[in-house]
């Protein structure tokens, strides 16, 4: 079994730059990387840049849920419902103290 997996680009690369998701194991810890890649146009090879983040495997589900919430918020913003969300405090639900 490999210790590195390339899940592909998030969007179609533009001007030799793209955002890619990869999974790898480093020092016995699994990570999901969201990283900008650049293309060596002479060889058609893609290389990772320093621009990006690595998320420990144990936090991937939490981040995925937050991204889902961000997607719902953006959908409401684009549909013009942001005033309703602000009035109800919906965008802060994850931060309410118990």
């Amino acid at each position: 079994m490999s210790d590195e997996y390339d899940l592909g680009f998030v969007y179609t690369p533009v001007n030799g730059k793209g955002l890619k998701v990869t999974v790898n194991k480093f020092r016995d810890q699994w990570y999901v990387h969201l990283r900008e890649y650049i293309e060596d146009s002479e060889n058609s090879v893609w290389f990772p840049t320093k621009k990006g983040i690595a998320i420990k495997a144990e936090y991937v589900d939490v981040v995925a849920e937050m991204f889902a919430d961000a997607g719902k918020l953006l959908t409401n913003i684009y549909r013009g419902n942001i005033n309703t969300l602000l009035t109800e405090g919906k965008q802060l639900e994850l931060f309410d103290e118990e």
Side-chain angles (χ1 to χ4, degrees):
M1 179 194 256
S2 174
D3 284 348
E4 186 162 329
Y5 301 91
D6 183 346
L7 301 178
F9 287 101
V10 174
Y11 55 83
T12 304
V14 178
N15 298 324
K17 289 185 179 182
L19 187 63
K20 191 180 262 199
V21 177
T22 59
V23 175
N24 79 333
K25 190 174 186 181
F26 179 72
R27 296 185 181 166
D28 292 325
Q29 175 68 49
W30 283 98
Y31 293 89
V32 173
H33 297 266
L34 185 60
R35 187 156 310 282
E36 183 179 79
Y37 275 65
I38 57 171
E39 182 182 26
D40 174 358
S41 57
E42 290 181 19
N43 301 318
S44 296
V45 177
W46 289 89
F47 295 98
T49 69
K50 292 182 179 183
K51 294 180 182 178
I53 60 169
I55 303 164
K56 284 186 175 182
E58 62 198 83
Y59 301 118
V60 170
D61 288 342
V62 173
V63 172
E65 189 172 326
M66 290 174 141
F67 269 100
D69 289 341
K72 291 173 189 174
L73 177 62
L74 288 170
T75 297
N76 282 309
I77 289 170
Y78 286 122
R79 289 184 176 164
N81 296 331
I82 190 61
N83 289 331
T84 302
L85 287 172
L86 290 172
T87 302
E88 297 174 4
K90 293 278 186 178
Q91 79 278 10
L92 301 176
E93 278 182 335
L94 293 174
F95 304 104
D96 286 346
E97 292 185 26
E98 296 178 1

